[in-house]
Amino acid sequence: MSEKYLFSHWLNLFCQVTLGGCSAFLLLAAPTITNFPVSKLLAETAISQNLEAASFFQQGVTRYNRQDLQGAEYAFQKALQRDPNLGAARNYLGNILIEQNRLDEALQEFTEVIKLNPNSSEAYYNLGLVLHRQGEKDAAITAYRQSLVIDSTRVAALYNLGLLLYEQGKLEEAIAAYQKAINLDSSNANAYLNLAIALQQQGQIEPAIATYRQALKLNPKNATAYSNMANLLATHGQAPEAISVYRQAIRLNPKSASAYYNLGVTLYNQGEFKKASGVLKRAHNEYHQQGNIEQAQKIEQLMQQIAQKSGQQQPQASQTATPSQSSDSTVQTPEPQTANQPETPANPGDVPVSVEPQSTSTSPGQ
């Protein structure tokens, strides 16, 4: 029994079970669509033998490209009334439904596209995207993988597959997916960032730092990459560079409580008590504004400890202190804090960020 048949059989069963009850699923943070690729207009190839269906399809494409989603939906629905087997119209319609967060309806459209064309890598990818947004992670992984069986060069499928595998703790598979995505598109800064985070989690420190550097070459304004790289540098004996990198993260995101805190801890461990106190005060204020009272109280205790140390400090102590000083005066730099929204790279966090998954549209003839 072929893999394609098994997946199609699974797909039919999945849709029978879930199409009526998808609204009960918890929607998790997932990739968002913010930019549609330019879709080809009808040219020489007839999209349908039904001239009215072809005409409505053309109108739908034109309106879709103008981001008139309501008008495009109307036109594609009219086209499908005249030719229900018009898979390209269903794929466009599915993308519109995703954009409007009408996920159950989108799932139906992409399921129909796959029934009409079981070899559509694009349809399986789009199906995976819907399942991904519905929190059906295992089903989404299956759909992304089937998309890649058909077309191994689909970067968006590799990227989102890596994101889900990371969330499931399958670091080696996630790393492999991100590396393949980067091999196909070396300009993808977020793929480098997510790869660096996975490498960091796996304990591959030097490769992780190198990958963060590459991410920052591509996107010098990524505060998450600066913050996470600084944490690695600070905890692996490169405090001077870590301090510089933390400050760059703060310049990019002046409201980052965790960056202030980690910078303050690193300065403290270097014996720079006065500087540490000032930075930790800012961290305290940011945490307090966020309502994180527990972390704010933790910082208050640390600041009291710094005040005591400052009173005992010899004039040259700030120049001689190192990260290897005795345990009674060294504070462990915490792990990067988790961001609430993995798709928001501006917030520091030890969570991969997801880029626009390039939800694509079927061109005429496909």
Side-chain angles (χ1 to χ4, degrees):
M1 188 176 294
S2 69
E3 182 179 359
K4 184 186 300 181
Y5 174 84
L6 287 172
F7 183 84
S8 297
H9 179 66
W10 164 84
L11 182 64
N12 290 332
L13 290 175
F14 177 85
C15 292
Q16 290 172 12
V17 172
T18 63
L19 281 177
C22 285
S23 59
F25 292 121
L26 176 65
L27 294 181
L28 304 180
T32 58
I33 301 170
T34 60
N35 184 29
F36 292 94
V38 176
S39 302
K40 296 178 181 178
L41 300 181
L42 270 177
E44 299 84 8
T45 306
I47 193 69
S48 173
Q49 296 299 316
N50 186 303
L51 295 181
E52 283 189 294
S55 177
F56 277 116
F57 176 83
Q58 176 67 63
Q59 292 176 36
V61 171
T62 301
R63 292 174 180 177
Y64 182 88
N65 288 337
R66 294 173 181 170
Q67 287 294 287
D68 175 12
L69 299 186
Q70 184 175 0
E73 180 181 356
Y74 173 83
F76 288 131
Q77 291 283 16
K78 287 293 185 181
L80 288 168
Q81 287 175 9
R82 287 156 178 79
D83 184 356
N85 294 326
L86 191 51
R90 291 194 181 279
N91 203 61
Y92 271 109
L93 183 56
N95 285 342
I96 292 170
L97 294 168
I98 290 177
E99 177 73 3
Q100 297 174 340
N101 204 37
R102 294 156 61 186
L103 300 181
D104 293 349
E105 296 172 73
L107 187 68
Q108 287 182 303
E109 294 301 331
F110 294 129
T111 300
E112 289 299 319
V113 175
I114 290 171
K115 288 179 181 178
L116 293 168
N117 183 7
N119 292 317
S120 174
S121 171
E122 185 174 57
Y124 278 110
Y125 166 75
N126 286 340
L127 176 67
L129 178 60
V130 174
L131 295 167
H132 192 155
R133 288 192 170 189
Q134 290 182 319
E136 294 291 328
K137 296 183 180 181
D138 290 334
I141 287 173
T142 302
Y144 286 142
R145 282 182 165 152
Q146 184 62 22
S147 174
L148 291 164
V149 167
I150 299 167
D151 179 4
S152 61
T153 66
R154 190 168 290 278
V155 175
L158 285 165
Y159 184 96
N160 287 350
L161 176 62
L163 186 65
L164 286 174
L165 291 169
Y166 176 90
E167 291 174 0
Q168 293 189 341
K170 299 176 181 178
L171 295 181
E172 290 187 8
E173 294 180 65
I175 288 170
Y178 286 129
Q179 287 174 333
K180 289 178 182 178
I182 288 169
N183 289 339
L184 292 167
D185 178 12
S186 59
S187 66
N188 192 328
N190 281 322
Y192 277 105
L193 175 61
N194 287 6
L195 174 60
I197 291 171
L199 290 168
Q200 178 178 351
Q201 289 292 314
Q202 207 177 45
Q204 298 188 46
I205 304 306
E206 291 303 324
I209 292 174
T211 307
Y212 279 127
R213 293 190 196 280
Q214 185 60 37
L216 288 167
K217 283 183 181 179
L218 295 169
N219 181 9
K221 296 183 178 180
N222 192 320
T224 298
Y226 279 113
S227 185
N228 284 357
M229 185 173 79
N231 284 330
L232 283 180
L233 293 168
T235 54
H236 289 83
Q238 301 178 58
E241 184 181 2
I243 290 169
S244 175
V245 176
Y246 278 132
R247 285 174 172 155
Q248 182 61 28
I250 289 168
R251 278 192 288 270
L252 292 169
N253 184 9
K255 304 295 289 182
S256 174
S258 62
Y260 283 113
Y261 176 74
N262 288 346
L263 172 59
V265 167
T266 304
L267 289 167
Y268 175 87
N269 288 338
Q270 287 292 97
E272 299 281 354
F273 296 155
K274 185 176 181 180
K275 292 180 180 179
S277 181
V279 173
L280 288 169
K281 183 177 181 180
R282 181 62 185 270
H284 176 274
N285 292 340
E286 294 297 337
Y287 277 121
H288 198 273
Q289 289 179 15
Q290 294 173 10
N292 191 339
I293 305 303
E294 181 180 354
Q295 187 70 8
Q297 291 175 344
K298 179 179 178 181
I299 293 174
E300 288 175 5
Q301 294 173 1
L302 179 55
M303 291 176 67
Q304 291 174 2
Q305 184 177 347
I306 290 175
Q308 293 174 358
K309 292 290 180 182
S310 297
Q312 303 168 2
Q313 187 180 31
Q314 298 299 319
Q316 73 277 16
S318 64
Q319 300 175 10
T320 59
T322 67
S324 60
Q325 56 193 297
S326 62
S327 60
D328 66 333
S329 62
T330 301
V331 179
Q332 181 65 43
T333 302
E335 291 296 318
Q337 298 187 359
T338 300
N340 292 327
Q341 297 296 330
E343 73 276 14
T344 308
N347 292 333
D350 194 15
V351 174
V353 296
S354 59
V355 296
E356 297 76 13
Q358 304 167 20
S359 179
T360 54
S361 304
T362 304
S363 300
Q366 291 185 302

